[in-house]
Amino acid sequence: MSHPLVIANWKMNLPSKGISEWVLNEMISSNEEKDFEEKTSFFKFMGVCPPISHLSELKTLMNFGHFGSQDISRFQDGAKTGDISADMIIDRGCTFSIIGHSERREFHNETNDVVSEKLKICLEKNILPVVCIGECLEDYNNGDTLDVLENQLKEIFSSIISENKLIVAYEPIWAIGSGKTPSAKEVNNIHQHIKDIVQSVANINDINIIYGGSVKRENAKTFFLEKNIDGALIGGASLNGREFLDIYNDFMETL
Ligand code: 13P
């Protein structure tokens, strides 16, 4: 089964020209000639995480690719005002979920322990988890990136044993929305390190590592060309359907 590797994270935004323009004019128009089967096959590595409130609208327009949620509750059900459970997102047609995004950590005080609980729920419910980790600028400047990531991974994965597939998204906090990125070579080395740690801590072998943080049309391919960079998690640039599609095409060309 294919799974998303180039993922749009719209965050709490909608495309400026609206969802139908994003899908029909920016995304589909250049693929109009493809029939349903071709589209399904071509877009098998694309994932989109809109605000959950707009998922149905997006799904009625877009009958290809994978749909995910930007977060899930660490609880299964009950009196947890504002939360959306794993079962609820499955019911809406989501097959994967981002968890542990740095914005959840910053604005909702999510710790590695909370991320670990969410990871367990994803694995239990067969939702493909996209586990976000990343260092702040100070850590990066001090050369502490690998130590920080190792610590995050150990806390998140230490009690996990699973045969399920999973994705780790390496998102340096200082690269998100800043226009700055580490070099593709640096990211490639860091991804190797991440893979080694997850395999040693959690005994999980079926893992992809994707990169997020100021991925744009201009730089996407340099990342995709690296051996250990399996895809991208894209914020700002994904709000423009044309740019997101261009990035996706670049990804497909490097396969
Ligand atoms: P930008 O692509 O806007 O830097 O956001 C990255 C991100 O946080 C995706 O989850």
Side-chain angles (χ1 to χ4, degrees), residues 9 11 101 103 171 175-177 213-215 233-236:
N9 176 12
K11 309 190 179 186
H101 194 282
E103 287 147 17
E171 294 209 310
I176 296 175
S214 294
V215 175
L233 182 54
I234 305 163

Side-chain angles (χ1 to χ4, degrees), residues 135-138 140 145 170-182 186 214:
E135 82 288 359
C136 66
L137 187 58
E138 194 184 345
Y140 177 76
T145 298
Y170 168 52
E171 294 209 310
I173 298 165
W174 54 273
I176 296 175
S178 66
K180 300 192 184 102
T181 69
E186 264 178 290
S214 294

Side-chain angles (χ1 to χ4, degrees), residues 28-59:
I28 294 184
S29 58
S30 58
N31 284 283
E32 238 159 9
E33 67 287 358
K34 288 192 172 73
D35 66 19
F36 176 72
E37 297 230 323
E38 271 182 299
K39 272 206 197 90
T40 307
S41 157
F42 180 74
F43 287 105
K44 66 185 174 192
F45 297 121
M46 178 182 281
V48 188
C49 299
I52 213 81
S53 52
H54 288 67
L55 184 66
S56 300
E57 184 185 349
L58 180 65
K59 282 196 80 202

Side-chain angles (χ1 to χ4, degrees), residues 128-191:
L128 172 70
V130 180
V131 183
C132 298
I133 55 168
E135 82 288 359
C136 66
L137 187 58
E138 194 184 345
D139 293 328
Y140 177 76
N141 286 338
N142 290 338
D144 291 335
T145 298
L146 296 183
D147 288 343
V148 170
L149 298 180
E150 182 163 347
N151 189 44
Q152 289 175 343
L153 291 168
K154 283 187 169 156
E155 289 189 10
I156 295 169
F157 283 94
S158 62
S159 55
I160 306 283
I161 298 174
S162 174
E163 310 222 313
N164 288 27
K165 144 143 242 82
L166 72 86
I167 296 178
V168 173
Y170 168 52
E171 294 209 310
I173 298 165
W174 54 273
I176 296 175
S178 66
K180 300 192 184 102
T181 69
S183 72
K185 292 263 174 278
E186 264 178 290
V187 175
N188 189 55
N189 291 338
I190 290 167
H191 282 201

